[in-house]
Short mmCIF file of all heavy atoms in Angstrom, two decimals:
data_model
loop_
_atom_site.label_atom_id
_atom_site.label_comp_id
_atom_site.label_asym_id
_atom_site.label_seq_id
_atom_site.Cartn_x
_atom_site.Cartn_y
_atom_site.Cartn_z
N GLY A 88 -0.34 -10.44 -1.94
CA GLY A 88 -0.84 -10.40 -3.31
C GLY A 88 -0.82 -9.01 -3.91
O GLY A 88 -1.58 -8.71 -4.83
N ALA A 89 0.05 -8.16 -3.38
CA ALA A 89 0.20 -6.80 -3.90
C ALA A 89 1.63 -6.35 -3.63
O ALA A 89 2.25 -6.79 -2.66
CB ALA A 89 -0.79 -5.85 -3.24
N VAL A 90 2.13 -5.47 -4.49
CA VAL A 90 3.52 -5.03 -4.42
C VAL A 90 3.58 -3.52 -4.55
O VAL A 90 2.87 -2.93 -5.36
CB VAL A 90 4.34 -5.70 -5.56
CG1 VAL A 90 5.62 -4.94 -5.85
CG2 VAL A 90 4.62 -7.15 -5.23
N ASN A 91 4.42 -2.89 -3.73
CA ASN A 91 4.63 -1.45 -3.87
C ASN A 91 6.08 -1.09 -4.16
O ASN A 91 6.40 0.08 -4.37
CB ASN A 91 4.15 -0.70 -2.62
CG ASN A 91 5.10 -0.84 -1.45
OD1 ASN A 91 5.70 -1.91 -1.25
ND2 ASN A 91 5.24 0.20 -0.65
N CYS A 92 6.96 -2.09 -4.17
CA CYS A 92 8.38 -1.84 -4.38
C CYS A 92 8.96 -2.96 -5.24
O CYS A 92 8.81 -4.14 -4.89
CB CYS A 92 9.10 -1.76 -3.03
SG CYS A 92 10.84 -1.32 -3.15
N VAL A 93 9.60 -2.59 -6.34
CA VAL A 93 10.16 -3.58 -7.27
C VAL A 93 11.66 -3.36 -7.38
O VAL A 93 12.12 -2.23 -7.59
CB VAL A 93 9.51 -3.48 -8.66
CG1 VAL A 93 10.17 -4.45 -9.64
CG2 VAL A 93 8.01 -3.75 -8.57
N ILE A 94 12.43 -4.44 -7.22
CA ILE A 94 13.89 -4.39 -7.32
C ILE A 94 14.30 -4.99 -8.66
O ILE A 94 13.88 -6.10 -9.01
CB ILE A 94 14.54 -5.18 -6.17
CG1 ILE A 94 14.11 -4.59 -4.83
CG2 ILE A 94 16.06 -5.17 -6.30
CD1 ILE A 94 14.38 -5.51 -3.66
N ASN A 95 15.12 -4.26 -9.40
CA ASN A 95 15.60 -4.72 -10.71
C ASN A 95 17.02 -5.24 -10.58
O ASN A 95 17.95 -4.48 -10.32
CB ASN A 95 15.55 -3.57 -11.72
CG ASN A 95 16.09 -3.99 -13.09
OD1 ASN A 95 16.13 -5.17 -13.42
ND2 ASN A 95 16.50 -3.01 -13.87
N ASP A 96 17.20 -6.54 -10.75
CA ASP A 96 18.52 -7.16 -10.69
C ASP A 96 18.87 -7.67 -12.09
O ASP A 96 18.58 -8.80 -12.45
CB ASP A 96 18.51 -8.31 -9.68
CG ASP A 96 19.89 -8.96 -9.52
OD1 ASP A 96 20.88 -8.41 -10.05
OD2 ASP A 96 19.97 -10.02 -8.87
N ASN A 97 19.46 -6.77 -12.89
CA ASN A 97 19.84 -7.11 -14.27
C ASN A 97 18.67 -7.68 -15.07
O ASN A 97 18.81 -8.67 -15.80
CB ASN A 97 21.01 -8.10 -14.26
CG ASN A 97 22.28 -7.50 -13.71
OD1 ASN A 97 22.64 -6.38 -14.05
ND2 ASN A 97 22.96 -8.24 -12.84
N GLY A 98 17.52 -7.05 -14.92
CA GLY A 98 16.35 -7.45 -15.69
C GLY A 98 15.44 -8.44 -14.99
O GLY A 98 14.34 -8.72 -15.47
N ARG A 99 15.88 -8.98 -13.86
CA ARG A 99 15.03 -9.87 -13.07
C ARG A 99 14.36 -9.04 -11.99
O ARG A 99 15.04 -8.41 -11.16
CB ARG A 99 15.85 -11.01 -12.45
CG ARG A 99 14.98 -11.98 -11.64
CD ARG A 99 15.77 -13.19 -11.16
NE ARG A 99 14.93 -14.08 -10.39
CZ ARG A 99 14.09 -14.97 -10.89
NH1 ARG A 99 13.98 -15.09 -12.21
NH2 ARG A 99 13.35 -15.74 -10.12
N LEU A 100 13.03 -9.05 -11.97
CA LEU A 100 12.27 -8.17 -11.09
C LEU A 100 11.70 -8.93 -9.90
O LEU A 100 11.02 -9.95 -10.06
CB LEU A 100 11.12 -7.52 -11.87
CG LEU A 100 11.51 -6.71 -13.10
CD1 LEU A 100 10.27 -6.09 -13.73
CD2 LEU A 100 12.54 -5.64 -12.76
N THR A 101 12.00 -8.41 -8.70
CA THR A 101 11.48 -8.99 -7.46
C THR A 101 10.56 -7.98 -6.79
O THR A 101 10.93 -6.81 -6.62
CB THR A 101 12.62 -9.36 -6.50
OG1 THR A 101 13.48 -10.32 -7.13
CG2 THR A 101 12.07 -9.95 -5.20
N GLY A 102 9.38 -8.43 -6.40
CA GLY A 102 8.40 -7.55 -5.77
C GLY A 102 8.41 -7.66 -4.26
O GLY A 102 8.43 -8.76 -3.70
N GLU A 103 8.43 -6.52 -3.60
CA GLU A 103 8.34 -6.43 -2.14
C GLU A 103 7.10 -5.61 -1.80
O GLU A 103 6.57 -4.88 -2.64
CB GLU A 103 9.57 -5.73 -1.56
CG GLU A 103 10.87 -6.49 -1.71
CD GLU A 103 11.15 -7.40 -0.53
OE1 GLU A 103 10.27 -7.49 0.37
OE2 GLU A 103 12.23 -8.01 -0.49
N ASN A 104 6.66 -5.72 -0.55
CA ASN A 104 5.57 -4.86 -0.08
C ASN A 104 5.95 -4.27 1.26
O ASN A 104 6.04 -4.98 2.26
CB ASN A 104 4.25 -5.63 0.02
CG ASN A 104 3.08 -4.68 0.13
OD1 ASN A 104 3.06 -3.81 0.99
ND2 ASN A 104 2.10 -4.84 -0.74
N THR A 105 6.19 -2.96 1.27
CA THR A 105 6.57 -2.27 2.51
C THR A 105 5.41 -1.49 3.11
O THR A 105 5.56 -0.92 4.19
CB THR A 105 7.75 -1.31 2.25
OG1 THR A 105 7.35 -0.32 1.29
CG2 THR A 105 8.95 -2.07 1.70
N ASP A 106 4.26 -1.46 2.43
CA ASP A 106 3.11 -0.70 2.94
C ASP A 106 2.69 -1.19 4.33
O ASP A 106 2.56 -0.40 5.27
CB ASP A 106 1.91 -0.83 1.99
CG ASP A 106 2.02 0.07 0.79
OD1 ASP A 106 2.77 1.06 0.84
OD2 ASP A 106 1.34 -0.21 -0.22
N GLY A 107 2.46 -2.49 4.44
CA GLY A 107 1.99 -3.03 5.71
C GLY A 107 3.04 -2.95 6.80
O GLY A 107 2.73 -2.67 7.96
N GLN A 108 4.30 -3.20 6.43
CA GLN A 108 5.38 -3.13 7.42
C GLN A 108 5.51 -1.71 7.97
O GLN A 108 5.68 -1.51 9.18
CB GLN A 108 6.69 -3.57 6.77
CG GLN A 108 6.69 -5.01 6.30
CD GLN A 108 7.88 -5.32 5.41
OE1 GLN A 108 8.92 -4.69 5.50
NE2 GLN A 108 7.72 -6.30 4.52
N GLY A 109 5.43 -0.73 7.07
CA GLY A 109 5.50 0.66 7.52
C GLY A 109 4.34 1.03 8.41
O GLY A 109 4.50 1.74 9.42
N PHE A 110 3.14 0.54 8.06
CA PHE A 110 1.96 0.82 8.88
C PHE A 110 2.13 0.24 10.28
O PHE A 110 1.88 0.93 11.28
CB PHE A 110 0.70 0.26 8.24
CG PHE A 110 -0.51 0.35 9.13
CD1 PHE A 110 -1.21 1.53 9.25
CD2 PHE A 110 -0.92 -0.76 9.87
CE1 PHE A 110 -2.31 1.63 10.10
CE2 PHE A 110 -2.02 -0.67 10.72
CZ PHE A 110 -2.71 0.52 10.83
N VAL A 111 2.55 -1.02 10.36
CA VAL A 111 2.69 -1.66 11.67
C VAL A 111 3.75 -0.95 12.51
O VAL A 111 3.57 -0.74 13.72
CB VAL A 111 3.03 -3.16 11.50
CG1 VAL A 111 3.46 -3.78 12.83
CG2 VAL A 111 1.81 -3.91 10.95
N ASN A 112 4.86 -0.56 11.89
CA ASN A 112 5.90 0.16 12.63
C ASN A 112 5.37 1.48 13.18
O ASN A 112 5.66 1.86 14.33
CB ASN A 112 7.11 0.42 11.74
CG ASN A 112 7.91 -0.84 11.47
OD1 ASN A 112 7.80 -1.82 12.19
ND2 ASN A 112 8.73 -0.82 10.43
N ALA A 113 4.58 2.19 12.36
CA ALA A 113 4.00 3.45 12.83
C ALA A 113 2.97 3.21 13.92
O ALA A 113 2.91 3.95 14.91
CB ALA A 113 3.37 4.19 11.65
N LEU A 114 2.15 2.16 13.74
CA LEU A 114 1.12 1.85 14.73
C LEU A 114 1.74 1.55 16.09
O LEU A 114 1.19 1.94 17.14
CB LEU A 114 0.29 0.67 14.25
CG LEU A 114 -0.89 0.24 15.13
CD1 LEU A 114 -1.91 1.35 15.25
CD2 LEU A 114 -1.53 -1.03 14.57
N ARG A 115 2.87 0.88 16.09
CA ARG A 115 3.51 0.50 17.35
C ARG A 115 3.99 1.70 18.16
O ARG A 115 4.27 1.55 19.35
CB ARG A 115 4.68 -0.45 17.07
CG ARG A 115 4.22 -1.88 16.78
CD ARG A 115 5.38 -2.80 16.52
NE ARG A 115 4.94 -4.20 16.44
CZ ARG A 115 5.43 -5.09 15.60
NH1 ARG A 115 6.38 -4.74 14.74
NH2 ARG A 115 4.97 -6.33 15.59
N THR A 116 4.09 2.87 17.54
CA THR A 116 4.44 4.06 18.32
C THR A 116 3.26 4.50 19.19
O THR A 116 3.43 5.31 20.11
CB THR A 116 4.85 5.23 17.41
OG1 THR A 116 3.73 5.65 16.61
CG2 THR A 116 6.00 4.82 16.49
N LEU A 117 2.06 3.98 18.90
CA LEU A 117 0.86 4.31 19.67
C LEU A 117 0.29 3.12 20.41
O LEU A 117 -0.18 3.24 21.54
CB LEU A 117 -0.21 4.88 18.74
CG LEU A 117 0.12 6.17 18.00
CD1 LEU A 117 -0.98 6.50 17.00
CD2 LEU A 117 0.31 7.32 18.99
N ILE A 118 0.30 1.96 19.74
CA ILE A 118 -0.34 0.78 20.32
C ILE A 118 0.26 -0.46 19.67
O ILE A 118 0.58 -0.45 18.48
CB ILE A 118 -1.87 0.82 20.08
CG1 ILE A 118 -2.59 -0.30 20.82
CG2 ILE A 118 -2.20 0.79 18.61
CD1 ILE A 118 -4.12 -0.19 20.74
N ASP A 119 0.45 -1.52 20.44
CA ASP A 119 0.95 -2.79 19.90
C ASP A 119 -0.22 -3.53 19.27
O ASP A 119 -1.23 -3.78 19.94
CB ASP A 119 1.57 -3.62 21.02
CG ASP A 119 2.29 -4.86 20.52
OD1 ASP A 119 2.03 -5.28 19.37
OD2 ASP A 119 3.10 -5.42 21.28
N PRO A 120 -0.13 -3.89 17.98
CA PRO A 120 -1.26 -4.59 17.34
C PRO A 120 -1.52 -5.98 17.90
O PRO A 120 -2.61 -6.53 17.70
CB PRO A 120 -0.85 -4.65 15.86
CG PRO A 120 0.64 -4.52 15.88
CD PRO A 120 0.97 -3.64 17.04
N ALA A 121 -0.55 -6.55 18.60
CA ALA A 121 -0.73 -7.90 19.15
C ALA A 121 -1.92 -7.92 20.10
O ALA A 121 -2.04 -7.10 21.00
CB ALA A 121 0.53 -8.34 19.87
N GLY A 122 -2.82 -8.87 19.86
CA GLY A 122 -3.99 -9.03 20.72
C GLY A 122 -5.11 -8.04 20.46
O GLY A 122 -6.10 -8.02 21.20
N LYS A 123 -5.01 -7.25 19.40
CA LYS A 123 -6.00 -6.21 19.13
C LYS A 123 -6.96 -6.61 18.02
O LYS A 123 -6.67 -7.47 17.19
CB LYS A 123 -5.29 -4.90 18.75
CG LYS A 123 -4.32 -4.39 19.79
CD LYS A 123 -5.00 -4.13 21.13
CE LYS A 123 -4.07 -3.42 22.11
NZ LYS A 123 -2.91 -4.26 22.50
N ARG A 124 -8.12 -5.94 18.02
CA ARG A 124 -9.12 -6.10 16.96
C ARG A 124 -9.03 -4.88 16.05
O ARG A 124 -9.13 -3.74 16.51
CB ARG A 124 -10.52 -6.23 17.56
CG ARG A 124 -10.68 -7.45 18.46
CD ARG A 124 -12.09 -7.55 19.04
NE ARG A 124 -13.09 -7.80 18.00
CZ ARG A 124 -13.41 -9.00 17.55
NH1 ARG A 124 -12.81 -10.08 18.04
NH2 ARG A 124 -14.32 -9.15 16.61
N ILE A 125 -8.86 -5.13 14.76
CA ILE A 125 -8.59 -4.06 13.80
C ILE A 125 -9.63 -4.10 12.68
O ILE A 125 -9.93 -5.16 12.13
CB ILE A 125 -7.18 -4.21 13.21
CG1 ILE A 125 -6.14 -4.09 14.34
CG2 ILE A 125 -6.92 -3.17 12.13
CD1 ILE A 125 -4.70 -4.29 13.89
N VAL A 126 -10.18 -2.93 12.37
CA VAL A 126 -11.11 -2.77 11.25
C VAL A 126 -10.38 -2.06 10.12
O VAL A 126 -9.80 -0.98 10.33
CB VAL A 126 -12.36 -1.97 11.65
CG1 VAL A 126 -13.20 -1.64 10.41
CG2 VAL A 126 -13.19 -2.76 12.66
N VAL A 127 -10.40 -2.65 8.93
CA VAL A 127 -9.75 -2.06 7.76
C VAL A 127 -10.82 -1.70 6.74
O VAL A 127 -11.55 -2.58 6.26
CB VAL A 127 -8.73 -3.03 7.14
CG1 VAL A 127 -8.10 -2.41 5.89
CG2 VAL A 127 -7.66 -3.40 8.16
N LEU A 128 -10.91 -0.42 6.39
CA LEU A 128 -11.83 0.03 5.35
C LEU A 128 -11.12 -0.08 4.01
O LEU A 128 -10.07 0.52 3.79
CB LEU A 128 -12.24 1.49 5.59
CG LEU A 128 -12.84 1.83 6.95
CD1 LEU A 128 -13.16 3.32 7.03
CD2 LEU A 128 -14.09 1.00 7.22
N GLY A 129 -11.70 -0.88 3.10
CA GLY A 129 -11.10 -1.07 1.79
C GLY A 129 -10.55 -2.48 1.63
O GLY A 129 -10.37 -3.22 2.61
N ALA A 130 -10.29 -2.85 0.37
CA ALA A 130 -9.75 -4.18 0.08
C ALA A 130 -8.77 -4.14 -1.08
O ALA A 130 -8.53 -5.16 -1.72
CB ALA A 130 -10.89 -5.16 -0.21
N GLY A 131 -8.21 -2.96 -1.36
CA GLY A 131 -7.22 -2.83 -2.42
C GLY A 131 -5.83 -3.16 -1.94
O GLY A 131 -5.64 -3.82 -0.91
N GLY A 132 -4.82 -2.68 -2.68
CA GLY A 132 -3.44 -3.03 -2.37
C GLY A 132 -3.00 -2.62 -0.99
O GLY A 132 -2.39 -3.41 -0.26
N ALA A 133 -3.26 -1.37 -0.59
CA ALA A 133 -2.85 -0.91 0.74
C ALA A 133 -3.59 -1.67 1.83
O ALA A 133 -3.01 -2.04 2.86
CB ALA A 133 -3.09 0.59 0.87
N ALA A 134 -4.89 -1.90 1.63
CA ALA A 134 -5.68 -2.63 2.62
C ALA A 134 -5.16 -4.05 2.79
O ALA A 134 -5.07 -4.56 3.92
CB ALA A 134 -7.15 -2.66 2.19
N ARG A 135 -4.80 -4.71 1.69
CA ARG A 135 -4.28 -6.07 1.77
C ARG A 135 -2.99 -6.10 2.60
O ARG A 135 -2.81 -6.96 3.46
CB ARG A 135 -4.00 -6.62 0.37
CG ARG A 135 -5.24 -6.82 -0.47
CD ARG A 135 -4.90 -7.24 -1.89
NE ARG A 135 -4.44 -8.61 -1.96
CZ ARG A 135 -5.24 -9.66 -2.12
NH1 ARG A 135 -6.55 -9.49 -2.22
NH2 ARG A 135 -4.75 -10.88 -2.19
N ALA A 136 -2.10 -5.15 2.33
CA ALA A 136 -0.83 -5.11 3.04
C ALA A 136 -1.04 -4.87 4.53
O ALA A 136 -0.44 -5.54 5.38
CB ALA A 136 0.06 -4.03 2.44
N ILE A 137 -1.89 -3.91 4.86
CA ILE A 137 -2.14 -3.57 6.26
C ILE A 137 -2.81 -4.73 6.99
O ILE A 137 -2.45 -5.07 8.12
CB ILE A 137 -2.98 -2.29 6.34
CG1 ILE A 137 -2.13 -1.09 5.93
CG2 ILE A 137 -3.56 -2.10 7.74
CD1 ILE A 137 -2.91 0.19 5.72
N ALA A 138 -3.81 -5.34 6.35
CA ALA A 138 -4.52 -6.45 7.00
C ALA A 138 -3.59 -7.63 7.26
O ALA A 138 -3.57 -8.18 8.37
CB ALA A 138 -5.70 -6.88 6.13
N VAL A 139 -2.80 -8.01 6.27
CA VAL A 139 -1.91 -9.17 6.42
C VAL A 139 -0.81 -8.90 7.43
O VAL A 139 -0.55 -9.71 8.34
CB VAL A 139 -1.31 -9.57 5.06
CG1 VAL A 139 -0.18 -10.59 5.24
CG2 VAL A 139 -2.39 -10.16 4.16
N GLU A 140 -0.14 -7.76 7.32
CA GLU A 140 0.97 -7.46 8.24
C GLU A 140 0.46 -7.28 9.68
O GLU A 140 1.15 -7.67 10.63
CB GLU A 140 1.74 -6.23 7.78
CG GLU A 140 2.50 -6.41 6.48
CD GLU A 140 3.73 -7.31 6.61
OE1 GLU A 140 4.04 -7.76 7.74
OE2 GLU A 140 4.38 -7.56 5.58
N SER A 141 -0.72 -6.69 9.85
CA SER A 141 -1.28 -6.55 11.19
C SER A 141 -1.59 -7.92 11.79
O SER A 141 -1.35 -8.17 12.98
CB SER A 141 -2.56 -5.70 11.16
OG SER A 141 -2.28 -4.39 10.73
N ALA A 142 -2.11 -8.82 10.95
CA ALA A 142 -2.38 -10.18 11.41
C ALA A 142 -1.09 -10.91 11.77
O ALA A 142 -1.00 -11.58 12.80
CB ALA A 142 -3.14 -10.95 10.33
N LEU A 143 -0.07 -10.76 10.93
CA LEU A 143 1.22 -11.40 11.22
C LEU A 143 1.87 -10.80 12.47
O LEU A 143 2.69 -11.46 13.12
CB LEU A 143 2.16 -11.25 10.02
CG LEU A 143 1.75 -12.01 8.75
CD1 LEU A 143 2.71 -11.68 7.61
CD2 LEU A 143 1.71 -13.51 8.99
N ALA A 144 1.51 -9.55 12.80
CA ALA A 144 2.05 -8.90 14.00
C ALA A 144 1.28 -9.29 15.26
O ALA A 144 1.59 -8.79 16.35
CB ALA A 144 2.03 -7.38 13.83
N GLY A 145 0.26 -10.15 15.12
CA GLY A 145 -0.40 -10.68 16.30
C GLY A 145 -1.80 -10.19 16.57
O GLY A 145 -2.38 -10.52 17.61
N ALA A 146 -2.39 -9.39 15.66
CA ALA A 146 -3.78 -8.97 15.86
C ALA A 146 -4.67 -10.20 15.95
O ALA A 146 -4.49 -11.17 15.21
CB ALA A 146 -4.23 -8.07 14.71
N THR A 147 -5.64 -10.16 16.85
CA THR A 147 -6.49 -11.34 17.04
C THR A 147 -7.59 -11.44 16.00
O THR A 147 -8.01 -12.54 15.63
CB THR A 147 -7.13 -11.33 18.43
OG1 THR A 147 -7.85 -10.10 18.60
CG2 THR A 147 -6.09 -11.46 19.52
#
Side-chain angles (χ1 to χ4, degrees):
V90 160
N91 75 324
C92 184
V93 176
I94 301 164
N95 178 22
D96 183 10
N97 294 316
R99 181 173 179 81
L100 303 182
T101 300
E103 293 269 5
N104 196 307
T105 61
D106 281 340
Q108 297 168 27
F110 172 80
V111 168
N112 287 341
L114 182 62
R115 282 180 171 142
T116 66
L117 298 173
I118 188 173
D119 188 342
K123 302 301 188 295
R124 299 180 65 86
I125 298 177
V126 171
V127 178
L128 305 179
R135 294 175 74 89
I137 288 169
V139 169
E140 292 288 357
S141 296
L143 293 175
T147 55

